[in-house]
Amino acid sequence: MNLLPTATSTDVQERQPRVAVLPVGSFEQHGKHLPLITDTAIACVIAQEIADAYPIHLLPPLTMSCSHEHAAFPGTVSISARTLYAVIDDIRASLARSGIHKLVIVNGHGGNYVLSNVVQEANVDGPAVSLFPLGPDWDRAREYGGLESDRHADMHAGEIETSILLHAAPELVREGYDEADHGSSQRPFLLVQGMAAYTDSGVIGFPSLATAGKGKAILESLRSSFSAHFEVLCRLS
């Protein structure tokens, strides 16, 4: 799987896209069966699905973000919310100088809460930035893919993430995912205590339920759902 776009400057000049798509991932633990780059890989896979279907300018991913709740697990690296905000602000300014004034942020990590504020503030004077996928997009994808778990119970390294990678990048999924289930439906102090208070393995979800077929269907659903985001973002352009 190639995580980086391969377009040339000439390609972009010929297409003259009005919308850029920025995958935002993370570098954090995903149990024993998925790599630290899982969220980045998934954000890139979703962004590529969009790029294949819509006239957009695909950007390389941001590979580190706000993973502080995973800090107890080896290998996890985070940046601050203010740094993530500033980087995206700089990217938007650079895109604007090249004539691209619309941005879609494809978020692969649920802990990037600051991205909602980025989008909220960016759109005060009209549609400029969209965050994708949103909760309803994920829920439709789960239903379309026939997933057995729900979004709350399957929050990390579970059925949905493992399914997407089994389809799009099976080389990233290690053996043992079918024995890695861990349920923790009550997580009242996750942001205070971190993931380690609720899971020893790093998994909260049900990877044993994952299949490549589900992953393919999830991506098909997300590609379809994106049309509404694209329409709203470009409506007044």
Side-chain angles (χ1 to χ4, degrees):
M1 181 185 66
N2 187 2
L3 298 179
L4 299 175
T6 57
T8 66
S9 179
T10 302
D11 294 334
V12 178
Q13 184 178 28
E14 291 175 351
R15 290 198 299 262
Q16 296 187 343
R18 294 182 300 159
V19 178
V21 171
L22 175 66
V24 178
S26 71
F27 197 72
E28 67 185 35
Q29 70 82 22
H30 277 76
K32 295 181 179 180
H33 66 285
L34 296 181
L36 293 159
I37 65 164
T38 290
D39 290 342
T40 298
I42 289 174
C44 288
V45 168
I46 295 170
Q48 187 62 60
E49 287 284 326
I50 293 170
D52 289 343
Y54 300 87
I56 60 92
H57 179 35
L58 180 60
L59 302 176
L62 299 184
T63 59
M64 296 181 188
S65 59
C66 304
S67 301
H68 306 87
E69 69 274 26
H70 298 274
F73 294 89
T76 298
V77 179
S78 292
I79 60 175
S80 69
R82 61 185 176 274
T83 298
L84 182 57
Y85 187 110
V87 169
I88 292 175
D89 203 38
D90 284 351
I91 290 170
R92 287 188 62 215
S94 181
L95 287 168
R97 286 192 290 272
S98 68
I100 300 176
H101 298 277
K102 308 285 187 175
L103 176 66
V104 176
I105 301 171
V106 175
N107 181 32
H109 171 49
N112 290 332
Y113 307 109
V114 69
L115 296 180
S116 294
N117 295 115
V118 170
V119 173
Q120 181 186 43
E121 294 176 19
N123 293 320
V124 170
D125 296 320
V129 181
S130 182
L131 185 62
F132 182 80
L134 298 177
D137 302 311
W138 284 119
D139 290 338
R140 281 192 293 271
R142 283 183 174 276
E143 182 177 0
Y144 185 78
L147 273 67
E148 299 177 50
S149 59
D150 61 43
R151 186 154 46 102
H152 175 75
D154 191 58
M155 74 159 286
H156 193 70
E159 182 180 14
I160 193 165
E161 290 188 314
T162 307
S163 290
I164 291 172
L165 292 185
L166 281 173
H167 165 66
E171 69 278 7
L172 297 182
V173 182
R174 298 193 181 186
E175 294 181 0
Y177 72 88
D178 55 339
E179 299 176 348
D181 292 1
H182 175 74
S184 181
S185 60
Q186 301 300 317
R187 308 182 292 270
F189 300 109
L190 179 64
L191 296 183
V192 178
Q193 298 175 302
M195 286 282 290
Y198 300 98
T199 171
D200 292 330
S201 68
V203 176
I204 297 180
F206 306 95
S208 70
L209 301 175
T211 69
K214 290 177 180 179
K216 180 180 180 181
I218 290 161
L219 293 173
E220 290 173 351
S221 176
L222 292 176
R223 184 172 64 243
S224 176
S225 293
F226 180 72
S227 63
H229 292 258
F230 190 76
E231 179 183 351
V232 169
L233 192 61
C234 297
R235 185 173 293 163
L236 300 180
S237 299

